[in-house]
Amino acid sequence: MPTNRRNHYRLLHVQPDAPTEVIRAAYRALIAVRHPDVGGDGYQATLLNDAYAVLSDPAKRAAYDARRASRAASRQRTSSTVATELVPPPANACPMCRLGLPGRIGRDTRCARCRAPLSPALAADARAMPMDRRGIPRVSKSDWAIMHVDGQADAIDVRLRDLSLDGIGVYSGLELPLHGIVRIVGQSFDVVAMVVGCRRLDAVFTVHAQLVTALFAGPTGGFVSATA
């Protein structure tokens, strides 16, 4: 059986600083309604038993708290590194490979080096104009796309979650740093985006990114999200 990585405190509905007496009372109340003998779920009862076995033992609880603190510190170090090392690309360069922009950019203009789309959706003097959602191709959650990650040579397959004027969401097998730049290419679109969220969901990661540049199939051309 795989190691239970769930939050023991959350499972028992108690705070991390709860005394042993509170933990014991919470466990007894929950197991009384979730035990299989009273019609409860066996798996949930096992999780409760595992959590109580750890939190009711002072030595096990101390070791568990130390592991949680270590993981939290590691995530904080990663976030700090991302914030200080990842810098958005300059406005006068390709957002994907940093090659200088050509003198004139049309709706179908691509980077001469990496072929990423460069065209903005709205000109600087047209930001007040409403953006037409009909220009966004419909995508299915079963659709697949290819994602190029800044600094990595090989592309990876991702499954689409959503595509909108504000950004794109995908399921990825690769964890991505916040503010990282990615290029995602599907059947009807080619976008460059900045990662604004990445969370683990079982064996994959859910990634949400704000669009930086994009090119869609059809007459709409490319665009830059007004909120990116």
Side-chain angles (χ1 to χ4, degrees):
M1 178 180 293
T3 302
N4 175 18
R5 297 291 299 275
R6 300 204 181 192
N7 187 317
H8 292 334
Y9 293 104
R10 190 175 301 165
L11 282 168
L12 293 177
H13 298 180
V14 297
Q15 296 297 319
D17 59 352
T20 303
E21 294 77 10
V22 172
I23 292 173
R24 182 183 302 111
Y27 166 73
R28 288 176 175 174
L30 290 169
I31 201 68
V33 295
R34 296 188 181 177
H35 196 279
D37 289 348
V38 293
D41 181 84
Y43 177 65
Q44 291 296 324
T46 298
L47 292 179
L48 290 174
N49 287 332
D50 290 345
Y52 181 67
V54 171
L55 299 185
S56 63
D57 184 298
K60 292 180 179 179
R61 183 177 181 180
Y64 174 71
D65 288 343
R67 290 194 299 272
R68 291 181 71 242
S70 177
R71 288 196 295 269
S74 178
R75 288 193 295 269
Q76 181 61 38
R77 287 194 298 270
T78 299
S79 298
S80 299
T81 300
V82 168
T84 56
E85 294 183 359
L86 288 175
V87 180
N92 61 347
C94 169
M96 194 67 193
C97 73
R98 278 67 167 177
L99 181 68
L101 296 179
R104 183 175 180 178
I105 298 177
R107 73 176 191 179
D108 298 325
T109 303
R110 293 180 177 272
C111 174
R113 177 190 292 162
C114 70
R115 304 302 298 163
L118 299 177
S119 175
L122 293 176
D125 59 353
R127 291 187 178 276
M129 296 177 61
M131 300 172 75
D132 189 352
R133 290 186 178 274
R134 290 175 299 178
I136 306 299
R138 293 184 177 181
V139 297
S140 168
K141 291 185 177 181
S142 62
D143 286 347
W144 288 84
I146 296 175
M147 182 169 69
H148 302 265
V149 180
D150 186 17
Q152 297 192 21
D154 297 329
I156 64 172
D157 293 327
V158 293
R159 176 166 288 183
L160 295 174
R161 296 179 60 215
D162 54 69
L163 176 64
S164 70
L165 292 172
D166 294 328
I168 186 170
V170 299
Y171 296 103
S172 167
L174 178 68
E175 183 176 14
L176 300 177
L178 295 181
H179 308 143
I181 301 298
V182 296
R183 178 185 175 194
I184 304 173
V185 184
Q187 291 184 349
S188 57
F189 64 89
D190 187 346
V191 303
V192 176
M194 178 181 289
V195 177
V196 295
C198 183
R199 299 180 61 184
R200 179 180 287 277
L201 178 64
D202 296 327
V204 299
F205 296 91
T206 59
V207 178
H208 179 67
Q210 286 186 333
L211 300 179
V212 178
T213 63
L215 179 64
F216 296 126
T220 54
F223 71 85
V224 171
S225 170
T227 61

